[in-house]
Amino acid sequence: QKEVEQNSGPLSVPEGAIASLNCTYSDRVSQSFFWYRQYSGKSPELIMSIYSNGDKEDGRFTAQLNKASQYVSLLIRDSQPSDSATYLCARKGNTPLVFGKGTRLSVIA
Amino acid sequence: NAGVMQNPRHLVRRRGQEARLRCSPMKGHSHVYWYRQLPEEGLKFMVYLQKENIIDESGMPKERFSAEFPKEGPSILRIQQVVRGDSAAYFCASSPTTSTSSGNTIYFGEGSWLTVV
């Protein structure tokens, strides 16, 4: 049973649109959730963390967490071609971070 | 404030040789994590260490792989008798010593790309 599931994509959105990235997890003890961005050939870069149910906004990014549904998402508003990357969802409970395989996002100019 | 430092960035080894990857955590961080990323795959947890202690090695292959984080110096991930399947990106990450919620965040180094020929 996979612990963190993401649609591998690619997800293609036009420039300026909202990109919606989704993630589900199976471990009910997970407490913290993270979104990382990874450009090809580069290391993961932390975008946002979220610990409580609801929305958390940071600039063009909004993370949403629903612990009852075991669901976390990332919205990117006004998507830019520079947002094209793989987005990794991760959860942390009693173990170190467990990552999904990531969703490839392509923003078309 | 320097980030997580990894070296070498790229390493080529012949089958059967040893690969040794080094990681210096961010200043003030005493928790180190090693992850492996195979081509087109996600990040897989390998091992979690604190100074002189292995906390969780549940992701480490049973043979040929070992890790340490000595009292002085960087953390080292050692792969003995490498095989072609070991070719991957190996990422080190570190986190602060505090137990606050922000202490759960880990920060990655630039990675070490191992190629076994």
Side-chain angles (χ1 to χ4, degrees):
Chain A
Q1 183 181 11
K2 296 184 178 178
E3 296 188 55
V4 179
E5 296 238 29
Q6 294 181 256
N7 188 323
S8 63
L11 173 66
S12 295
V13 298
E15 184 176 359
I18 296 176
S20 178
L21 304 162
N22 304 314
C23 172
T24 59
Y25 60 96
S26 58
D27 181 1
R28 287 194 174 273
V29 301
S30 293
Q31 297 296 320
S32 311
F33 301 87
F34 304 83
W35 283 99
Y36 286 80
R37 177 176 62 198
Q38 186 176 27
Y39 292 110
S40 180
K42 301 294 186 182
S43 63
E45 171 192 10
L46 179 67
I47 297 176
M48 291 191 70
S49 58
I50 185 166
Y51 312 108
S52 304
N53 279 325
D55 295 359
K56 179 181 178 183
E57 187 173 319
D58 183 0
R60 294 187 296 112
F61 299 98
T62 299
Q64 299 173 319
L65 174 60
N66 184 325
K67 290 188 177 182
S69 300
Q70 296 179 247
Y71 174 93
V72 59
S73 65
L74 179 71
L75 301 177
I76 307 174
R77 289 181 299 281
D78 189 23
S79 296
Q80 302 297 310
S82 60
D83 295 326
S84 298
T86 297
Y87 289 80
L88 304 170
C89 171
R91 68 104 178 118
K92 185 181 187 309
N94 296 325
T95 59
L97 280 182
V98 175
F99 286 84
K101 286 191 173 184
T103 298
R104 280 184 297 142
L105 172 66
S106 179
V107 180
I108 310 300
Chain B
N1 185 16
V4 179
M5 304 299 292
Q6 288 189 248
N7 67 84
R9 294 292 313 279
H10 298 277
L11 182 64
V12 179
R13 284 287 178 266
R14 295 186 186 279
R15 281 178 294 171
Q17 291 185 319
E18 177 180 286
R20 192 171 297 197
L21 311 176
R22 288 175 290 278
C23 169
S24 295
M26 288 178 71
K27 187 177 181 180
H29 290 192
S30 64
H31 302 243
V32 166
Y33 311 81
W34 285 94
Y35 284 80
R36 177 167 64 175
Q37 188 172 38
L38 294 167
E40 304 302 320
E41 293 288 326
L43 285 161
K44 298 296 185 186
F45 167 75
M46 299 182 75
V47 62
Y48 163 35
L49 310 103
Q50 294 180 20
K51 286 283 188 181
E52 300 184 280
N53 283 305
I54 296 175
I55 306 303
D56 183 345
E57 56 180 349
S58 57
M60 286 280 271
K62 294 289 186 287
E63 298 177 348
R64 301 188 296 110
F65 286 72
S66 63
E68 63 176 2
F69 189 15
K71 185 177 180 180
E72 301 292 337
S75 174
I76 296 175
L77 178 67
R78 183 182 294 111
I79 311 171
Q80 296 177 303
Q81 300 175 343
V82 297
V83 301
R84 287 216 171 111
D86 296 332
S87 295
Y90 291 83
F91 290 99
C92 173
S94 71
S95 67
T97 56
T98 62
S99 59
T100 61
S101 59
S102 64
N104 288 327
T105 303
I106 69 173
Y107 299 90
F108 283 88
E110 291 297 309
S112 291
W113 268 259
L114 172 65
T115 302
V116 180
V117 297

